[in-house]
């Protein structure tokens, strides 16, 4: 068996220009996301190895985008007598002639691409809102971060190294705790994970799996930022009270890392979770054989090669 990859530009264009190929791509991508998400929720969600979990979830998105384009080819040599039978496509009956004449493939392909375009335009609009907020606010640069105090938002949030907050909503002590959390997001570039998750959700918009996966990513990033923040603050109790106080606020857009989270109870419980053992990293490696079996089962094509030597050649 020989393996080759169609992960180049031709393979991507082929997948997105043919309805059948596109359908198989979306099914395989969704299945790969389901494999990563299943292992994460069954084995990894309660672990405090947040950085490793982040890499695991990000790797799942990259695998879902690329592995469906990988093909393994199995070559079988056959003689003339062993050639597989050729089946002819049935001729459509006159009763189905009108139905077959409708360009269903073009319609479905256009509908899917329209959905992708709508989701990508929404992402661009949300980016524009953030940049507009930066332009209309007085930005302060300090210690490598860009602080944007604004009255146009209730919940503090970060976008890369930009940190947005409403100075009238929090006391100085609360604000100091919040900024430590947001600086953890900014210094570790959590926005990249959010943007990648949104792009994957846009490509798989017909499947709710993408959105569920994105929520898992955001939840783990909050755990990671909390774990980093409590290393630099004097009182864990004050930090928990601040979490509860801002739990009713909503961020300006879903593209940001917000201090607010609807999973406040889980975040507080995770702050008291015992540290996972380093050996628990081995749980993440379970995805390797699972992906291997998936690729062998669904990404393997059989190619028949005619053996040039006929059986009569061996009689002389």
């Amino acid at each position: 068996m020989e393996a080759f990859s169609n992960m180049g530009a031709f393979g991507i264009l082929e997948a997105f220009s043919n309805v059948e190929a596109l359908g198989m791509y979306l099914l395989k991508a969704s299945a790969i996301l389901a494999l990563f998400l299943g292992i994460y929720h069954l084995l990894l969600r309660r672990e405090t190895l947040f950085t490793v979990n982040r890499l695991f979830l990000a790797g799942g998105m990259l695998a879902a985008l690329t592995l469906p384009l990988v093909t393994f080819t199995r070559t079988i040599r056959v003689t003339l007598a062993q050639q597989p039978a050729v089946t002819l496509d049935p001729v459509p009956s006159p009763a189905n002639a009108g139905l077959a004449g409708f360009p269903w493939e073009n319609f479905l392909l256009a509908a899917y691409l329209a959905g992708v375009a709508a989701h990508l335009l929404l992402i661009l609009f949300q980016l524009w809102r953030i940049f507009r907020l930066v332009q209309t606010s007085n930005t302060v640069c300090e210690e490598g971060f860009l602080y944007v105090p604004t009255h146009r938002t209730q919940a503090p949030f970060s976008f890369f190294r930009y940190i947005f907050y409403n100075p009238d909503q929090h006391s100085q002590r609360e604000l100091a705790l919040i900024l430590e959390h947001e600086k953890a997001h900014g210094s570790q570039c959590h926005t990249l994970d959010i943007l990648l998750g949104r792009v994957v959700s846009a490509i798989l918009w017909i499947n709710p799996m993408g959105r569920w996966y994105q929520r898992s990513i955001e939840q783990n990033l909050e755990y990671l930022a909390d774990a980093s923040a409590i290393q630099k603050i004097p009182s864990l109790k004050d930090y928990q009270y601040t979490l509860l106080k801002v739990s009713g606020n909503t961020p300006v857009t879903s593209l940001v890392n917000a201090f607010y989270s609807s999973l406040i109870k889980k975040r507080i419980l995770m702050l008291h979770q015992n540290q996972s053992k380093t050996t628990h990293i081995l749980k993440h490696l379970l995805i390797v054989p699972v992906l291997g079996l998936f690729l062998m089962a669904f990404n393997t094509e059989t190619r028949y090669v005619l053996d040039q030597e006929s059986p009569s050649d061996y009689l002389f």
Side-chain angles (χ1 to χ4, degrees), residues 46 75 109 113 188 207 224 282 284 295:
R46 294 179 176 83
T75 302
L109 185 61
L113 293 178
Q188 298 173 21
N207 191 326
L224 183 55
L282 297 176
H284 298 79
L295 292 175

Side-chain angles (χ1 to χ4, degrees), residues 7 12 15-16 22 24-37 56-70 112 196-197 199-201 203-204 209-210 213 287 291 294-295 299:
M7 292 172 57
I12 297 175
F16 284 85
L22 177 61
M24 290 302 300
Y25 175 86
L26 295 177
L27 284 175
K28 292 178 181 179
S30 298
I32 291 174
L33 276 188
L35 291 176
F36 275 87
L37 193 62
F56 179 86
L57 292 171
M61 291 188 291
L62 295 177
L65 292 178
T66 58
L67 290 186
L69 302 174
V70 176
Y112 167 75
L196 180 58
V199 171
V200 172
S201 295
I203 295 176
L204 301 177
M209 183 69 65
Y213 199 95
I287 193 63
L291 279 181
F294 176 86
L295 292 175
N299 284 33

Side-chain angles (χ1 to χ4, degrees), residues 13-148:
L13 291 176
E14 182 182 8
F16 284 85
S17 61
N18 179 274
V19 172
E20 184 178 355
L22 177 61
M24 290 302 300
Y25 175 86
L26 295 177
L27 284 175
K28 292 178 181 179
S30 298
I32 291 174
L33 276 188
L35 291 176
F36 275 87
L37 193 62
I39 291 178
Y40 174 76
H41 279 274
L42 290 175
L43 301 176
L44 309 176
R45 183 178 55 176
R46 294 179 176 83
E47 300 290 344
T48 60
L49 302 168
F50 306 126
T51 300
V52 184
N53 284 348
R54 178 191 181 187
L55 297 175
F56 179 86
L57 292 171
M61 291 188 291
L62 295 177
L65 292 178
T66 58
L67 290 186
L69 302 174
V70 176
T71 303
F72 292 89
T73 301
R74 181 176 58 184
T75 302
I76 298 179
R77 294 187 173 274
V78 296
T79 61
L80 290 175
Q82 296 175 323
Q83 290 187 70
V86 179
T87 57
L88 300 178
D89 295 332
V91 179
S93 61
N96 297 330
L99 185 62
F102 187 81
W104 286 106
E105 289 193 0
N106 295 336
F107 174 78
L108 294 175
L109 185 61
Y112 167 75
L113 293 178
V116 173
H119 283 77
L120 293 179
L121 287 175
L122 178 60
I123 295 175
L124 292 176
F125 174 71
Q126 292 173 338
L127 288 173
W128 176 83
R129 290 186 63 188
I130 295 174
F131 294 145
R132 183 63 178 169
L133 196 58
V134 172
Q135 292 176 349
T136 57
S137 305
N138 295 322
T139 304
V140 178
C141 182
E142 184 179 338
E143 298 179 351
F145 294 94
L146 298 164
Y147 297 93
V148 186

